[in-house]
Amino acid sequence: PTFEEGDLTLFETGAIVFHIAERHPALLPTEPDARARAITWMFAALSSVEPPILDLQTAKFAEGDKSWAQERMPLVFDRIRARLRQLADRLGDAGWLDGKFSAGDLLMVSVLLRLRTSGILDEFPTLAAYVARGEARPAYQRAFAAQLAVNAPPAS
């Protein structure tokens, strides 16, 4: 994705979310320790949780026709499940990763949404509920509607 604001052009989801979050205390707390934890969750979403999920997409769509593809899939799912177990354990019964919703939750929910069609998220009810909470946020609803408007095919 690309973000443009005046003369500033940013790319990379994490950089864009961080830039926006810096301007909104609701996304990035001002208290130093809470801020550091929110940033940590942003990195965790993109650097620890997302890579095995992206590997699943690669395995399905870019390598699905290879003779070894079916043998590889259980390994890919095992790596995803390992990350999801860690995340579910950390989340526990909490609503958000660090008490209040932050940019870390925004990115984590976005990453976990990639698993929707795989069915694997359903194996982790606390994470499925976490994603549902993220999607239910009014700001998410507005952003999703705006994205659909941009990506919708032109009316005929």
Side-chain angles (χ1 to χ4, degrees):
T2 303
F3 174 86
E4 295 177 3
E5 181 180 68
D7 291 335
L8 176 66
T9 300
L10 298 175
F11 62 96
E12 289 295 331
T13 302
I16 293 166
V17 170
F18 183 68
H19 175 76
I20 293 168
E22 283 190 308
R23 291 166 169 73
H24 300 282
L27 290 175
L28 196 57
T30 55
E31 192 276 316
D33 289 350
R35 178 183 174 87
R37 287 189 301 270
I39 293 169
T40 298
W41 282 114
M42 291 172 65
F43 276 84
L46 300 175
S47 299
S48 297
V49 177
E50 188 175 43
I53 293 170
L54 292 176
D55 196 28
L56 174 62
Q57 293 176 332
T58 299
K60 280 185 170 182
F61 301 112
E63 302 168 349
D65 61 342
K66 307 293 186 222
S67 61
W68 41 264
Q70 287 305 314
E71 294 172 17
R72 184 170 184 263
M73 291 305 284
L75 300 172
V76 171
F77 276 102
D78 286 348
R79 284 193 290 272
I80 293 169
R81 285 185 183 100
R83 287 292 184 207
L84 295 184
R85 266 192 293 287
Q86 292 170 332
L87 183 59
D89 289 347
R90 171 57 178 84
L91 181 63
D93 293 333
W96 305 110
L97 292 169
D98 192 49
K100 289 185 172 183
F101 180 84
S102 76
D105 294 296
L106 187 147
L107 284 173
M108 192 65 75
V109 167
S110 296
V111 165
L112 294 175
L113 279 168
R114 291 177 174 271
L115 291 171
R116 175 170 280 144
T117 60
S118 73
I120 196 169
L121 195 57
D122 297 332
E123 297 174 25
F124 299 87
T126 58
L127 296 181
Y130 170 71
V131 169
R133 281 190 298 280
E135 288 182 293
R137 293 179 55 81
Y140 177 90
Q141 297 289 321
R142 289 190 305 273
F144 188 74
Q147 182 179 2
L148 281 179
V150 168
N151 293 323
S156 46

